[in-house]
């Protein structure tokens, strides 16, 4: 069965963005909505205090784990929202580069936001995602 996710390139829009501008999901597909993945270890401690890149790596590892638990993977992601607790564009770019690299060639539409504060002590990065999967038919 073909992949239910199609990333849409829009030639009329700037190619400076490092993601597709849109995505479609072909039926039948099951949507997976994740909570914001946070930079917490298995014990609930914040990883990489003060380090946007280290936190983004932990966030992406946790996002991958959450998606897998729902039967999905990063290549099934339709869109993401990336939150970075900073008013400095350089910090947003640092976190974004880790997120982008984790997705490899799959570059779903994404929104990158600088925010004042996130929910856990010392948290700098959070990523939420929507994925679409086509379940294999049972034999």
């Amino acid at each position: 069965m073909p992949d239910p996710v199609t990333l849409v390139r829009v030639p009329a829009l700037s190619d400076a963005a490092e993601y597709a501008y849109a995505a479609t999901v072909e039926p039948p597909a099951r949507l997976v909505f994740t909570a914001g993945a946070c930079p917490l270890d298995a014990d609930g401690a914040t990883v990489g205090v003060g380090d946007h890149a280290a936190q983004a790596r932990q966030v992406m590892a946790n996002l991958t784990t959450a998606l897998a638990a729902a039967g999905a993977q990063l290549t099934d992601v339709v869109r993401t929202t990336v939150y970075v607790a900073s008013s400095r564009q350089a910090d947003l770019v640092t976190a974004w580069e880790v997120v982008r690299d984790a997705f490899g060639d799959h570059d779903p539409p994404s929104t990158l936001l600088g925010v004042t504060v996130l929910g856990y002590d010392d948290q700098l990065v959070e990523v939420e995602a929507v994925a679409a999967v086509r379940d294999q038919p049972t034999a």
Side-chain angles (χ1 to χ4, degrees):
M1 241 187 257
D3 186 7
V5 178
T6 301
L7 300 180
V8 179
R9 311 291 171 204
V10 183
L13 297 174
S14 169
D15 64 358
E18 297 176 315
Y19 48 80
Y21 277 101
T24 63
V25 177
E26 296 299 322
R30 177 173 53 87
L31 295 179
V32 177
F33 298 87
T34 70
C38 298
L40 305 178
D41 65 16
D43 295 323
T46 302
V47 171
V49 173
D51 185 337
H52 289 86
Q55 287 201 8
R57 284 190 293 276
Q58 183 67 42
V59 161
M60 293 309 293
N62 290 348
L63 178 61
T64 300
T65 299
L67 287 167
Q73 54 192 351
L74 289 177
T75 54
D76 298 317
V77 171
V78 176
R79 80 168 320 281
T80 65
T81 304
V82 180
Y83 302 94
V84 181
S86 179
S87 61
R88 295 184 55 234
Q89 189 176 31
D91 295 335
L92 277 68
V93 170
T94 295
W96 170 252
E97 288 173 345
V98 173
V99 171
R100 177 202 61 207
D101 291 351
F103 278 100
D105 290 336
H106 183 72
D107 56 348
S110 187
T111 299
L112 174 63
L113 301 166
V115 298
T116 304
V117 66
L118 291 166
Y120 291 99
D121 289 341
D122 302 313
Q123 181 183 0
L124 300 172
V125 181
E126 186 164 332
V127 176
E128 63 183 20
V130 177
V133 294
R134 187 166 282 136
D135 292 324
Q136 298 299 321
T138 55

